């Protein structure tokens, strides 16, 4: 899917967001698959990044012909087709049954016992993906598809319980798997999936231990799950089921799913994990299996396309304040003190940007999407010199994926297939020390890296609510007969999205967005080029 934004009313698309890795799909920090082969149309770009853009207004398949008076209608129709949800009835002849998901009404009305009034979502319900109608291409934050910035409707499927379902709950075996790295909120999602399944009437619920590894490692056994087992797991961080990285074949995993007689598979993970989930879904369709594969987007970096946010992000931003505040105190208390904090964000700088905005203590924020120079008259080091002269101290926040062009490159990858990044935090720390030593000015540099402390904590209230609703809607989607979908929050509404539409590339900070401009206003930093 093309990612369209705008500058001065001209549609921009990142060419790398349409590029496909020749060996299949790659994985981000939440991936388990690194060596799988799936159809070209479903590939996920390995280690894709948001870099240069070219001026070109496009749709998902080809350039839009704006000379066609009906181009907007064609665009909307194409969008609707792409976002149509895969359903079990696409291949199987199934008869729906009335839902078993009911709550007794407490109101004294005509609702029959056991029924819910206005409690279900119609299959034709939609949520609008974008709600601002920009009057001009020059409007602040304008996102335009055509040079005139025409209003184009983009509707996505609304999430929630349906009146009819496609599984008999008493015969269902449901499985949950958590993949990739840790993220605040994993246990909250696991807990709510189990509770919602229980309300439907499902009693056979299992956890697959240690990510996708649990499907093929014979030394690992399924973990029986029930409301009683998961009741208090949300009180702790980490994953009750465990996580791991690695690779195997889709065919082997589906063989394992069949052997275990699993009917519903709930996959918690990021872009790479979702690519694996979609490959599993496609293999199940190829074999004409009645199996629903539903994803729940988990990435602390908040880097999944189309979604307002992913769970774990709010907690990460909140917890980052502790590190930033410590860096500020250290810098403010020392003579010519400089505090340096490195936060998560391999390809997206959302955590660093939002942590900077919320703290009010950052002088310099560096993210992967915005290039910068350390040396020279307009470099970061020169700016730090000025801050030391004028303020007496400074605090720098840098995302882990920022400034990788300044470091020695390596082709080494981790178990998930991610390129191993150089440590930009240590690099900047050393550069600051050598620079101030070279000009004969004292500088006391304190470096803080809270990465693993942030990943392992319990979800805060905001994320816990998000996790609860995502877990519930994942179960509703499976019972509604959908597969190959993920659940997310778009424009404040909970929706279902086809997995291929959200994994074409990581979502990145737009350097021309209002939020990044707000960040620059908060720090007062110049362009470091």
């Amino acid at each position: 899917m093309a990612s369209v934004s705008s500058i001065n009313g001209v549609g921009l698309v990142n060419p790398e967001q349409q590029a496909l890795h020749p060996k299949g799909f790659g994985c981000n920090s939440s991936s388990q698959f690194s060596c799988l082969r799936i159809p070209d149309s479903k590939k996920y770009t390995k280690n894709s990044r948001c870099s240069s853009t070219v001026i070109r207004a496009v749709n998902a398949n080809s350039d839009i012909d704006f000379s066609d008076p009906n181009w907007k209608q064609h665009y909307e129709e194409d969008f609707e087709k792409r976002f149509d949800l895969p359903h079990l009835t696409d291949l199987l002849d199934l008869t729906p049954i009335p839902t078993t998901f009911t709550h007794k009404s407490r109101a004294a009305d005509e609702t029959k016992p056991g029924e819910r009034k206005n409690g279900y979502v119609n299959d034709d319900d939609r949520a609008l993906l974008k709600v601002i109608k920009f009057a001009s291409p020059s409007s602040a934050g304008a996102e335009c598809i055509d040079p005139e910035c025409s209003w184009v409707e983009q509707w996505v499927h609304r999430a929630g319980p349906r009146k009819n379902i496609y599984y008999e709950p008493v015969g269902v075996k449901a499985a949950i798997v958590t993949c990739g790295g840790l993220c605040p909120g994993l246990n909250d999602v696991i807990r709510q999936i189990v509770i919602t399944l229980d309300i439907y009437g499902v009693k056979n619920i299992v956890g697959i231990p240690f990510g996708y590894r649990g499907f093929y490692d014979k030394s690992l056994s399924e973990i029986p799950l029930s409301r009683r087992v998961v009741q208090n797991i949300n009180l702790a961080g980490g994953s009750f089921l465990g996580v791991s990285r690695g690779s195997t074949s889709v065919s082997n995993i589906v063989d394992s799913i069949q052997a275990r007689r699993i009917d519903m598979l709930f996959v918690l993970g990021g872009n790479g994990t979702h690519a694996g989930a979609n490959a599993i879904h496609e293999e199940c369709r190829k074999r004409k299996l009645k199996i629903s594969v539903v994803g729940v987007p988990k990435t602390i970096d908040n880097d999944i396309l189309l979604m307002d946010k992913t769970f774990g992000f709010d907690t990460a931003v909140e917890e980052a304040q502790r590190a930033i505040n410590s860096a500020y105190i250290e810098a403010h208390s020392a003579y010519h003190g400089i505090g340096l904090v490195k936060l998560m964000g391999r390809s997206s700088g959302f955590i660093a940007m939002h942590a900077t905005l919320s703290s009010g203590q950052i002088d310099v924020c560096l993210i992967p999407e915005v290039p910068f120079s350390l040396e020279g008259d307009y470099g970061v080091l020169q700016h730090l010199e000025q801050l030391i002269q004028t303020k007496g101290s400074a605090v720098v926040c840098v995302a882990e994926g920022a400034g990788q062009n300044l470091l020695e490159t390596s082709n080494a990858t981790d178990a998930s297939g991610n390129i191993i990044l150089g440590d930009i935090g240590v690099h900047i720390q050393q550069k600051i020390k050598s620079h101030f030593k070279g000009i004969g000015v004292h500088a006391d540099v304190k470096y803080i890296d809270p990465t693993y402390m942030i990943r392992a904590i319990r979800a805060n209230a905001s994320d816990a609510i998000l996790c609860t609703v995502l877990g519930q809607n994942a179960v509703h989607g499976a019972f509604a007969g959908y597969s190959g979908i993920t659940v997310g929050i778009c424009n404040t509404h909970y929706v279902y999205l086809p997995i291929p539409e959200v994994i074409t590339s990581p979502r990145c900070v737009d350097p021309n967005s209002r939020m990044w401009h707000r960040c620059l206003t908060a720090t007062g930093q110049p362009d470091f080029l």
Side-chain angles (χ1 to χ4, degrees), residues 301-380:
D301 293 341
N302 198 36
D303 62 350
I304 294 186
L305 291 174
L306 305 177
M307 300 184 185
D308 292 355
K309 64 178 178 179
T310 54
F311 75 83
F313 174 69
D314 277 355
T315 305
V317 172
E318 182 177 306
E319 189 66 16
Q321 305 307 303
R322 298 176 184 270
I324 291 173
N325 189 53
S326 296
Y328 172 80
I329 292 173
E330 288 283 356
H332 193 67
S333 301
Y335 176 66
H336 288 181
I338 298 176
L340 174 61
V341 180
K342 185 181 76 172
L343 298 176
M344 289 155 291
R346 288 183 59 89
S347 58
S348 303
F350 288 104
I351 293 179
M353 179 177 69
H354 282 256
T356 294
L357 281 165
S358 58
S359 72
Q361 298 171 323
I362 300 296
D363 298 293
V364 176
C365 178
L366 305 173
I367 61 175
E369 297 87 342
V370 180
F372 62 90
S373 298
L374 291 176
E375 314 284 352
D377 293 339
Y378 302 101
V380 173

Side-chain angles (χ1 to χ4, degrees), residues 4-7 12 53 141-143 350 353 367 369-370 507-517:
V4 180
S5 59
S6 69
I7 300 178
L12 301 180
T53 56
E143 297 181 0
F350 288 104
M353 179 177 69
I367 61 175
E369 297 87 342
V370 180
R507 183 169 77 103
C508 300
V509 174
D510 180 358
N512 296 285
S513 67
R514 296 198 70 197
M515 191 59 75
W516 178 244
H517 291 164

Side-chain angles (χ1 to χ4, degrees), residues 223-473:
I223 302 172
L225 300 176
S226 65
R227 182 187 286 261
R228 182 177 180 180
V229 170
V230 303
Q231 188 60 45
N232 296 315
I233 63 173
N234 60 310
L235 301 181
S239 170
F240 179 74
L241 302 178
V243 295
S244 72
R245 303 185 189 279
S247 63
T248 187
S249 72
V250 173
S251 181
N252 288 344
I253 288 183
V254 177
D255 287 344
S256 177
I257 290 173
Q258 281 190 270
R260 298 166 188 257
R261 299 184 181 277
I262 292 172
D263 303 290
M264 297 179 180
L265 177 63
F266 300 96
V267 183
L268 283 58
N271 274 325
T273 299
H274 270 64
N278 192 63
I280 293 171
H281 155 73
E282 293 288 358
E283 181 65 19
C284 289
R285 286 173 68 91
K286 181 180 177 181
R287 301 185 188 188
K288 294 186 177 181
L289 302 175
K290 186 186 177 184
I291 297 174
S292 287
V293 181
V294 179
V296 181
K298 175 230 71 175
T299 165
I300 206 168
D301 293 341
N302 198 36
D303 62 350
I304 294 186
L305 291 174
L306 305 177
M307 300 184 185
D308 292 355
K309 64 178 178 179
T310 54
F311 75 83
F313 174 69
D314 277 355
T315 305
V317 172
E318 182 177 306
E319 189 66 16
Q321 305 307 303
R322 298 176 184 270
I324 291 173
N325 189 53
S326 296
Y328 172 80
I329 292 173
E330 288 283 356
H332 193 67
S333 301
Y335 176 66
H336 288 181
I338 298 176
L340 174 61
V341 180
K342 185 181 76 172
L343 298 176
M344 289 155 291
R346 288 183 59 89
S347 58
S348 303
F350 288 104
I351 293 179
M353 179 177 69
H354 282 256
T356 294
L357 281 165
S358 58
S359 72
Q361 298 171 323
I362 300 296
D363 298 293
V364 176
C365 178
L366 305 173
I367 61 175
E369 297 87 342
V370 180
F372 62 90
S373 298
L374 291 176
E375 314 284 352
D377 293 339
Y378 302 101
V380 173
L381 298 176
Q382 179 63 34
H383 184 60
L384 290 177
E385 249 188 82
Q386 296 174 1
L387 290 171
I388 291 298
Q389 293 172 0
T390 56
K391 292 179 58 180
S393 63
V395 181
V396 180
C397 176
V398 58
E400 62 179 320
Q404 292 298 304
N405 60 304
L406 305 176
L407 308 175
E408 291 186 10
T409 58
S410 169
N411 292 325
T413 59
D414 61 20
S416 294
N418 302 302
I419 294 177
I420 296 177
L421 300 177
D423 195 329
I424 187 63
V426 171
H427 179 76
I428 292 178
Q429 177 193 31
Q430 294 172 345
K431 286 291 185 179
I432 292 173
K433 288 182 176 180
S434 61
H435 174 79
F436 280 91
K437 182 178 181 180
I439 61 175
V441 176
H442 174 79
D444 191 347
V445 184
K446 296 295 191 299
Y447 175 47
I448 299 175
D449 180 358
T451 300
Y452 291 101
M453 294 176 63
I454 291 176
R455 297 196 329 166
I457 67 172
R458 173 187 174 186
N460 66 7
S462 175
D463 271 328
I465 294 170
L466 177 60
C467 290
T468 296
V469 182
L470 291 176
Q472 291 177 1
N473 282 324

Side-chain angles (χ1 to χ4, degrees), residues 62-98:
S62 60
D63 291 355
I64 299 174
D65 181 9
F66 293 119
S67 64
D68 181 354
N70 297 316
W71 74 264
K72 186 163 65 171
Q73 178 183 345
H74 297 326
Y75 181 94
E76 292 172 350
E77 290 174 349
D78 177 69
F79 186 91
E80 184 176 353
K81 289 178 182 178
R82 289 191 290 115
F83 282 80
D84 190 33
L85 303 179
H87 197 275
L88 294 175
T89 56
D90 295 341
L91 298 173
L92 305 173
D93 184 14
L94 302 174
T95 302
I97 62 175

